[in-house]
Amino acid sequence: MGQKTNPIGNRLGIIRGWESNWYGGNDYGDKLAEDDKIRKYVHARLSKASVSRVIIERTLKLVTVTITTARPGIIIGKGGQEVDKLKEELKKITGKEVQINIHEIKRPELDAYLVGASVARQIENRISYRRAIKMAIAAGMRMNAEGIKIQISGRLNGAEMARSESYKDGRIPLSTFRADIDYALVEAHTTYGRLGVKVWIMKGEVYGKRELSPLVGLSKKGGKGGSGRGGNNKSRRNNRKNFLKRKENVTTEENKYRKMQKGRMKGNAGRGNQLSYGTFGIKSLDSNFLTARQIEAARIAATRYMKREGALWIMIFPDKPITKKPLEVRMGKGKGAVEYWAAVVKPGRVLFEIAGVPLEVAKEALRLAAQKLPVKTKFLISRDYQA
């Protein structure tokens, strides 16, 4: 009971690679201590450059240091002067030739160390820890994280008794080895002692064989997964990619500061009330808001039962922002920050469509999907269907 292990170490050799790659030999301990010294020095020297990971590879006469950072311009400097200085400093520590590679992190909101460091820095600047954590979680979920959990421990708000608090959104399946979970522990140094900030970020699941490089999945938008099972994988992946792309582009310059009103949901659906692509589908009989999490839960339930066969279309999209005032904020004018996104559904609106599976499988898959939704639904069959 309660056997806990580091989520990164637990996945080494399965979906994640090592951050130090070299052959030890007789001086294994010296090399290990030197790696630790290099990492501590780089983090201290580049404290303002948002450095996440330092990956070290060694050959006989060369040490290759790869730095992953959200702000590469600070490390490189004007005309590469700063990186040359750093190279000389590391050469003195190691006594060998040093090569430095700099790798940019495109989405710092999905890097556990950078999220933890951001929360810790805000706490040191006397910002409410609850507000800092909730803002970090909201930013991570906006960047399509499947789940994020932040735990903070210590003398919170300067209390006499130390305690722990944790905040979570989405799912963090720590026991699933194929789940790509990033983890970090960062300390905040305050006037009343140290506070520990732990961050878990679930980026998705990795199917098939993955290249065990520490940099895999950083330069590209998604991890390198397998082809999965079933027939129509390519079209399903494209549909999923387009869905996420649309979700990313919801916040545009036009609607970023726009005040969205609640609106009305009277009447029936005037469009999207017929099957467009699939042979089977479900439509709503009520009017309601469907959140992005509810839609995703319904999709997972249906695809699991279908065992990745056939094709599934999601016919609604959560494009309406629902705002909420955060804790410890005075009441007043102005709307709160966006808490989540929802799709407006009216009676008659088609929610999901399925093709390429038998009638019994489609019925059961859509029944399971409908159980995840807060509206009554009706099963639809296309006129062209022949048993």
Side-chain angles (χ1 to χ4, degrees):
M1 284 177 65
Q3 307 297 315
K4 293 173 183 65
T5 183
N6 189 304
I8 293 172
N10 209 21
R11 287 161 177 78
L12 283 178
I14 301 169
I15 62 163
R16 198 174 173 117
W18 287 259
E19 290 184 10
S20 289
N21 292 306
W22 38 264
Y23 172 70
N26 294 328
D27 56 348
Y28 176 84
D30 297 336
K31 287 180 180 174
L32 199 64
E34 194 177 275
D35 279 9
D36 187 49
K37 196 186 285 185
I38 289 170
R39 287 197 175 94
K40 281 180 179 172
Y41 181 79
V42 169
H43 278 289
R45 169 85 160 67
L46 305 172
S47 57
K48 294 182 181 177
S50 299
V51 173
S52 173
R53 286 192 277 165
V54 180
I55 296 142
I56 300 169
E57 294 170 278
R58 294 172 183 269
T59 56
L60 200 60
K61 295 179 181 176
L62 180 70
V63 178
T64 305
V65 179
T66 305
I67 301 171
T68 63
T69 172
R71 304 167 78 184
I74 293 176
I75 301 175
I76 296 166
K78 195 174 182 181
Q81 292 174 357
E82 291 295 321
V83 79
D84 291 337
K85 276 186 198 171
L86 181 64
K87 191 186 285 187
E88 292 300 319
E89 290 160 10
L90 291 180
K91 209 182 276 185
K92 287 178 185 175
I93 293 173
T94 58
K96 291 181 182 178
E97 280 295 316
V98 176
Q99 180 187 336
I100 295 178
N101 298 329
I102 296 166
H103 200 286
E104 185 181 1
I105 298 169
K106 302 285 186 187
R107 298 187 194 171
E109 297 89 351
L110 296 182
D111 189 285
Y113 183 85
L114 295 182
V115 170
S118 168
V119 171
R121 197 162 51 247
Q122 289 179 67
I123 291 168
E124 287 170 356
N125 293 334
R126 298 176 182 272
I127 290 172
S128 164
Y129 70 91
R130 283 196 189 96
R131 186 174 182 183
I133 289 171
K134 292 205 170 189
M135 284 168 64
I137 289 174
M141 295 305 285
R142 266 202 305 273
M143 297 305 286
N144 302 322
E146 286 199 16
I148 179 167
K149 178 184 171 187
I150 300 179
Q151 181 177 319
I152 182 167
S153 305
R155 295 180 59 192
L156 306 180
N157 286 338
E160 287 289 322
M161 292 282 288
R163 67 180 192 274
S164 293
E165 285 189 19
S166 64
Y167 298 82
K168 182 182 171 186
D169 196 1
R171 65 193 195 99
I172 309 284
L174 292 173
S175 305
T176 308
F177 286 162
R178 69 170 178 266
D180 187 4
I181 295 175
D182 196 11
Y183 167 78
L185 167 61
V186 184
E187 288 182 346
H189 299 265
T190 64
T191 52
Y192 40 82
R194 291 189 190 185
L195 302 183
V197 181
K198 286 181 179 178
V199 182
W200 294 260
I201 297 178
M202 164 70 170
K203 298 178 183 177
E205 292 189 7
V206 178
Y207 292 97
K209 197 167 183 179
R210 187 184 197 178
E211 183 190 340
L212 296 181
S213 162
L215 298 173
V216 74
L218 283 179
S219 57
K220 297 176 186 176
K221 286 193 177 179
K224 191 176 178 184
S227 60
R229 293 173 291 172
N232 200 1
N233 281 317
K234 195 171 181 182
S235 65
R236 186 162 59 242
R237 275 202 302 272
N238 289 339
N239 288 339
R240 180 85 180 128
K241 210 177 280 180
N242 292 337
F243 179 86
L244 293 176
K245 198 178 279 185
R246 284 172 65 195
K247 193 173 175 184
E248 277 177 26
N249 295 335
V250 164
T251 307
T252 60
E253 289 302 320
E254 296 165 12
N255 72 358
K256 190 173 182 184
Y257 300 106
R258 193 170 152 220
K259 199 171 173 183
M260 288 289 283
Q261 304 300 329
K262 190 173 182 182
R264 293 170 183 259
M265 289 192 289
K266 287 184 177 178
N268 298 328
R271 57 186 176 180
N273 49 14
Q274 292 180 348
L275 293 175
S276 303
Y277 306 107
T279 316
F280 313 104
I282 50 170
K283 70 174 181 180
S284 171
L285 299 178
D286 301 329
S287 56
N288 208 331
F289 288 153
L290 299 191
T291 68
R293 291 175 68 182
Q294 289 166 346
I295 295 167
E296 181 66 2
R299 181 195 70 81
I300 290 169
T303 50
R304 272 191 186 154
Y305 185 79
M306 290 160 61
K307 296 180 180 173
R308 301 185 176 273
E309 292 176 359
L312 174 79
W313 288 271
I314 304 169
M315 304 306 293
I316 50 175
F317 184 76
D319 54 4
K320 187 180 182 69
I322 308 296
T323 58
K324 214 173 187 181
K325 288 264 188 178
L327 292 171
E328 301 176 10
V329 171
R330 294 186 185 92
M331 298 300 290
K333 287 185 180 177
K335 289 180 75 76
V338 175
E339 186 77 5
Y340 60 91
W341 295 83
V344 180
V345 171
K346 293 182 179 179
R349 186 75 162 89
V350 176
L351 308 177
F352 292 93
E353 294 184 20
I354 285 179
V357 292
L359 173 62
E360 293 75 22
V361 175
K363 257 188 180 175
E364 183 60 20
L366 291 172
R367 185 189 70 80
L368 292 170
Q371 286 182 342
K372 305 290 183 184
L373 304 174
V375 291
K376 288 182 181 178
T377 58
K378 185 180 178 181
F379 183 72
L380 303 174
I381 301 178
S382 173
R383 291 175 185 173
D384 305 332
Y385 172 70
Q386 293 177 350

